[in-house]
Amino acid sequence: MSRLARTAWVSEALAIRLTSHRDQGLGQQLYVALRGWIESGELAAGEALPSSRQLARELSIARNTALSALDRLAAEGFVVSRPGAGLFVARLALAEAIHQAPIAPQKRQLSRRGDDLLADCALSGGHHRAFAPGIPALDLFPREQWQRLLRRHQQRAPESWLAYQSGGGVKALKTALYDYLRLSRSVRCTPEQILITQGAQQGFELIARMLTDPGDGAWIEEPGYVGAQVALKAAGLSLVPVPVDAEGIDIERAPQGAPPKLIYVTPSHQYPRGVTLSLSRRLALLETARAQGSWIIEDDYDSEFRYSSPPLASLQGLMDQAPVIYVGTFSKVLYPGLRLGYLVLPEALVEPFQRANARINREGQYAVQAALAEFIEQGHFSRHVARMRRAYRSRQAALRRALAPAVDKGLTLSDGHAGMHLLAGLESVACEQTLVAAGRAQGIQLSPLSRYFTGPPAQAGLVLGYAGSHEQDIARAGDWLARAWCKQRSS
């Protein structure tokens, strides 16, 4: 085929393609078509292409459109220009190799640490069903007030907020948090000791990076919060499970060995068992950490939701210079997508943590932080917490009513004095697995207690979240669970 006939064929084929792909711009369509033919070998190395003028005329497009597509191909090395002769397909060594021999699919080559991490990264579905733990009442969030504040601060954001930041967060938010934590949680700090993070998980990761080396030990609650377990494990730490009983973590039963660098606890409302760390054990934990040179991570994830008493004083606030890093998050009290949390750091750690966080994680969302500060200052935050507390008390009551037939026949439930879930005790892990599978078939998400153990589970049960579901959904799912548990027990 002559060069003239070949370029005419190209123009005709392009006209057909452009007619059938009107969802893209003409320049993009032209570029994609020519590049695809070059990569497939349909346009061979050295073959001439129609000129931009010819393409414009025969495709009824602007010449600049044709020029932009050809110039892009030339810039990427797919075509070359020969002065006085026109454009020609470049020789592509990669394309030739592809056509000569098929390339085997590249194997997934993750590190051992990556494989271990994925084993702990099972994700729930995209929608939240009754009993999903850790999901707040998103339907109760005051979206109008929040959006109004957010828009205002985004519109008024100073130019400096568009650059990289290193101040540890917006000053107004740190001041608002200082007032709130001092009054409601008896936290001892200054606003400067607060570091804003992108959630509690980022806080755990930063603590592990800054205070430990791979192979160091970390005491964790058993059973305990999987998110913290994953963060510490991903940092290469050796996790040492310490049993939890009715008084919280029992460090007297911690394995003997090298002192841990970190001790992770949820003292106000242990997750997932729901117990509170007793005062005697709090004091013993502080003294043990001080004597061993360990740092305590106090995760206060849902301390706002107590139903029979005011929020408890924090572990951090029990003594001056406590070896405690207090971790808070807005994921449970506002909404998870906000991606904001904070650390309250001992004074000696403020500067290094702030500098490392600015380098590793790149601070941001200053307009969102400023909006949140005003949200707290205007009283929206406290009113929202009070509203959620009332709703959660009512939703927990709905769950208890639904499970009453099973409770009458021996099912045990945690006391529910705080938090966003109840724990239903079961007689065996086999019973757990049976109920979880049956729930999945009904579209009901059940979280087995056994998954919160790092070692062999010493207790079986179900972690039943109730905060994120409407009462009618809770009642429907609870009725099913009561029947399923009674059936399982009688079989």
Side-chain angles (χ1 to χ4, degrees):
M1 185 183 297
S2 68
R3 172 182 174 180
L4 184 61
R6 183 65 172 171
T7 56
W9 172 85
V10 171
S11 298
E12 182 178 351
L14 285 170
I16 295 172
R17 181 181 178 88
L18 265 61
T19 301
S20 60
H21 290 75
R22 297 186 181 277
D23 56 326
Q24 297 177 342
L26 292 174
Q28 176 71 9
Q29 293 180 53
L30 183 58
Y31 161 79
V32 169
L34 289 172
R35 175 173 169 167
W37 290 339
I38 293 171
E39 289 179 328
S40 69
E42 191 149 4
L43 288 175
E47 190 165 347
L49 292 181
S51 67
S52 61
R53 194 180 304 276
Q54 181 182 350
L55 286 173
R57 183 178 62 253
E58 296 183 6
L59 299 179
S60 299
I61 62 176
R63 189 183 176 198
N64 283 341
T65 301
L67 274 171
S68 68
L70 294 175
D71 287 346
R72 184 174 173 185
L73 290 169
E76 294 176 357
F78 289 96
V79 300
V80 294
S81 175
R82 297 177 187 172
L87 289 174
F88 296 83
V89 177
R91 180 173 297 278
L92 301 177
L94 177 60
E96 292 178 358
I98 290 174
H99 293 301
Q100 288 173 1
I103 298 177
Q106 188 173 5
K107 293 182 179 180
R108 190 184 75 176
Q109 294 180 332
L110 298 180
S111 64
R112 287 192 299 273
R113 182 168 58 180
D115 282 328
D116 289 343
L117 178 61
L118 285 181
D120 296 319
C121 289
L123 301 178
S124 60
H127 59 287
H128 307 304
R129 306 164 188 157
F131 302 150
I135 304 301
L138 302 180
D139 58 307
L140 300 182
F141 183 69
R143 297 178 63 176
E144 290 186 9
Q145 293 97 326
W146 173 245
Q147 289 297 330
R148 185 166 57 251
L149 292 172
L150 190 58
R151 283 194 298 269
R152 181 161 73 243
H153 284 280
Q154 287 174 334
Q155 291 167 357
R156 298 178 181 177
E159 184 179 328
S160 61
W161 286 2
L162 303 180
Y164 291 117
Q165 303 296 325
S166 59
V170 170
K171 184 177 180 179
L173 178 56
K174 295 199 283 186
T175 300
L177 280 171
Y178 159 73
D179 290 333
Y180 171 72
L181 294 172
R182 177 173 54 88
L183 294 174
S184 69
R185 306 292 293 115
S186 301
V187 170
R188 304 187 189 196
C189 72
T190 64
E192 290 72 28
Q193 289 176 251
I194 298 175
L195 175 67
I196 306 301
T197 65
Q198 295 179 38
Q201 286 296 128
Q202 188 186 88
F204 300 147
E205 292 166 3
L206 185 62
I207 292 168
R209 283 178 185 245
M210 295 297 291
L211 300 179
T212 68
D213 293 308
D216 286 342
W219 287 359
I220 58 171
E221 298 171 322
E222 182 80 325
Y225 175 48
V226 175
Q229 295 170 7
V230 170
L232 300 180
K233 187 176 178 182
L237 301 187
S238 175
L239 304 188
V240 180
V242 181
V244 171
D245 60 22
E247 292 187 64
I249 188 171
D250 185 1
I251 58 173
E252 294 295 326
R253 296 166 62 190
Q256 298 299 311
K261 286 292 184 70
L262 300 176
I263 304 173
Y264 171 84
V265 291
T266 51
S268 296
H269 184 237
Q270 200 277 332
Y271 192 84
R273 288 201 55 188
V275 299
T276 299
L277 187 62
S278 66
L279 179 59
S280 61
R281 288 195 181 177
R282 289 175 181 237
L283 296 174
L285 177 59
L286 288 169
E287 285 302 324
T288 298
R290 179 172 286 177
Q292 295 182 150
S294 307
W295 288 104
I296 298 171
I297 303 175
E298 180 179 8
D299 184 3
D300 211 17
Y301 70 99
D302 68 354
S303 61
E304 293 83 2
F305 306 126
R306 297 192 72 82
Y307 309 120
S308 57
S309 65
L312 300 177
S314 66
L315 179 68
Q316 188 266 9
L318 282 180
M319 64 172 60
D320 288 326
Q321 306 300 321
V324 176
I325 300 174
Y326 182 94
V327 182
T329 177
F330 292 100
S331 295
K332 302 296 186 288
V333 70
L334 295 181
Y335 61 95
L338 183 60
R339 303 305 307 132
L340 282 180
Y342 52 92
L343 304 180
V344 179
L345 297 162
E347 291 181 357
L349 299 182
V350 171
E351 191 277 335
F353 267 64
Q354 186 171 308
R355 187 148 48 95
N357 185 60
R359 167 56 67 182
I360 297 171
N361 298 318
R362 295 301 191 189
E363 294 180 24
Q365 301 192 88
Y366 267 35
V368 178
Q369 292 184 34
L372 179 54
E374 189 171 352
F375 188 82
I376 296 172
E377 292 163 359
Q378 291 187 356
H380 298 306
F381 180 80
S382 59
R383 286 191 292 273
H384 179 56
V385 169
R387 184 185 182 195
M388 292 175 78
R389 193 181 293 123
R390 291 192 298 271
Y392 293 173
R393 186 185 291 112
S394 179
R395 292 178 182 188
Q396 184 188 128
L399 177 56
R400 289 186 180 278
R401 286 194 300 272
L403 294 177
V407 171
D408 290 341
K409 295 184 178 180
L411 178 69
T412 61
L413 294 177
S414 57
D415 59 22
H417 59 76
M420 303 161 64
H421 73 273
L422 291 177
L423 179 63
L426 299 176
E427 58 272 18
S428 67
V429 173
C431 180
E432 264 189 8
Q433 295 173 342
T434 300
L435 289 173
V436 169
R440 188 180 301 116
Q442 296 293 321
I444 296 174
Q445 178 179 332
L446 294 174
S447 296
L449 178 62
S450 59
R451 72 182 293 267
Y452 296 91
F453 286 84
T454 58
Q459 182 183 2
L462 297 173
V463 180
L464 303 175
Y466 54 77
S469 299
H470 294 113
E471 290 186 24
Q472 58 267 34
D473 296 326
I474 293 171
R476 184 164 49 249
D479 288 342
W480 172 85
L481 179 58
R483 293 194 304 271
W485 180 85
C486 291
K487 179 180 179 181
Q488 172 70 16
R489 193 183 189 204
S490 62
S491 62

